[in-house]
Amino acid sequence: MKKTYRSWSAALLVLTMSIGLVACGEDNSTSSKSEAGDGTIKLKVYAQHFDDDTIKPFDYAVEELKKKMPNVEIELDPAVQDGGQKLKTYAATGNMPDIYLADWSVLQTFAKSKNVEVLDNYDTTAEFKKNLNPGVESRLVAPDNHVYAYPETGIEFQMIYYNKSIFEKVGIKTPLKTIDQMADAAKKLKAAGYVPMSIFAKEKWITTAFYNGLVTREQPHGFGALDQKGVIALPKAFVTAAQQMKQLQRAGLFDANATNTNYDQASSLFYQGKAAMFVNGQWEIYSSQEKLGDQVDWMYWPAKDEATYENSKYFIDGSGSPQGYAVSPSSKNKETAVKVAAFLATKSAEYRYTQLGSPIVSQKVDKPMASNVPAMMQRVVKELLPNAQEYAQLLSNTKIQNTINDNTQNLMVDNFSEQDFVNNLNSTLEKEN
């Protein structure tokens, strides 16, 4: 998530939880309380805190907060990579943390159940807007024109990582430019004893992201193209992508146990040299470079043929959906929590820029960028971002999104066909559009 704050949950579970959220949305939180007498304000923060990419920016922001607001004490509640289910359970039981990291899917649900503070009219929000990097407004302002959270990152995207030494050992030329080349590589890698591509398909968002990468080869707007009234059947690019994903699954690209594999297991296969490829966001660059050094690189998404590949490789598999540090309306220290949420986002962005050398941050930073930028991030900065032609667009319809999530995960299973995928999506599109 970050890994998981792009995750979406199963439709039935969302419906069930939503009922509970509506009932509990106005309950007072028991998670925050001011210490009597000494003026200390304790705030519980639900945030990702499990690897260098999540721990270091958060810890840096908390240390900076101690200098800026010494009367505030942060109690970290480490987020679980569960597609937001723990957070939704907090909401359903009236036990919301004061501040929480959430993606657009969760924010949409919480907006309906009144478990997220609307930040539109806070002075803190006005200041945050002034300092936004150009082009990342969609990370802060939701499609309904409200602000629900303060983002630390800019528009992130998914990439295919690969172990160069494994490809050389098996004798496969890189980069893989077409679906047929990737399918052929999968067969050769599997025959050589490797998992061709490691994927943590237990989380539906990553199978959705993989599918969207294929869609963007011929439809640069990605899922945003499904949000239009009158689209009652999957456009050709989406059907083609489903066929391609199934072709790759049948070629053995994904491990047979992929839908039971979590991030830790999938990344471990890649870092132990047992898997030749791995799919995740650009945030994985730091961990992969650290663990595999010069053996690892990333490649563009494959297309139906090399001409399409060349024409579409700068269409980005990522969209500017709202996300970030949100505040519970039931926090007993809500005014302070709003300021702290914005501060955590701002300082986390500062760390990413100054220490990790990532330009993909929400806020302008007036300090020097890190000098030891990983080679793969240097490729992103010098090669990809300056040439980016299109970013995928946000899909706000949760029913369509949930259907995509369920069915891209199903594409990993042998007895689920591309026609099943098309039929299920068409059924939802006809009802929603």
Side-chain angles (χ1 to χ4, degrees), residues 253-316:
L253 182 68
F254 311 108
D255 187 78
N257 198 39
T259 56
N260 291 317
T261 302
N262 62 29
Y263 168 79
D264 290 337
Q265 295 165 326
S267 60
S268 178
L269 285 173
F270 186 57
Y271 293 141
Q272 290 178 13
K274 297 178 180 177
M277 290 178 277
F278 182 52
V279 58
N280 201 359
Q282 97 290 328
W283 54 83
E284 192 71 29
I285 283 176
Y286 304 101
S287 293
S288 57
Q289 196 94 54
E290 177 185 345
K291 293 180 172 66
L292 294 177
D294 293 339
Q295 293 181 59
V296 64
D297 204 348
W298 57 266
M299 65 175 77
Y300 296 98
W301 291 88
K304 63 183 178 186
D305 52 45
E306 293 201 23
T308 305
Y309 170 87
E310 294 297 339
N311 289 332
S312 65
K313 65 181 183 180
Y314 296 124
F315 296 160
I316 308 298

Side-chain angles (χ1 to χ4, degrees), residues 55 63 129 132 248 256 268 300 320 327 335 360-361 374 381:
I55 293 174
E63 287 302 311
K129 282 183 178 178
L132 269 185
L248 295 172
S268 178
Y300 296 98
V327 173
E335 298 290 330
I360 309 167
V361 295
V381 173

Side-chain angles (χ1 to χ4, degrees), residues 77-112:
D77 183 359
V80 179
Q81 298 186 68
D82 63 350
Q85 294 311 309
K86 182 177 179 181
L87 199 54
K88 291 171 183 174
T89 300
Y90 281 155
T93 56
N95 191 34
M96 288 293 289
D98 301 279
I99 299 169
Y100 56 89
L101 198 64
D103 65 6
W104 177 225
S105 176
V106 172
L107 291 173
Q108 280 180 286
T109 303
F110 283 8
K112 293 177 182 175

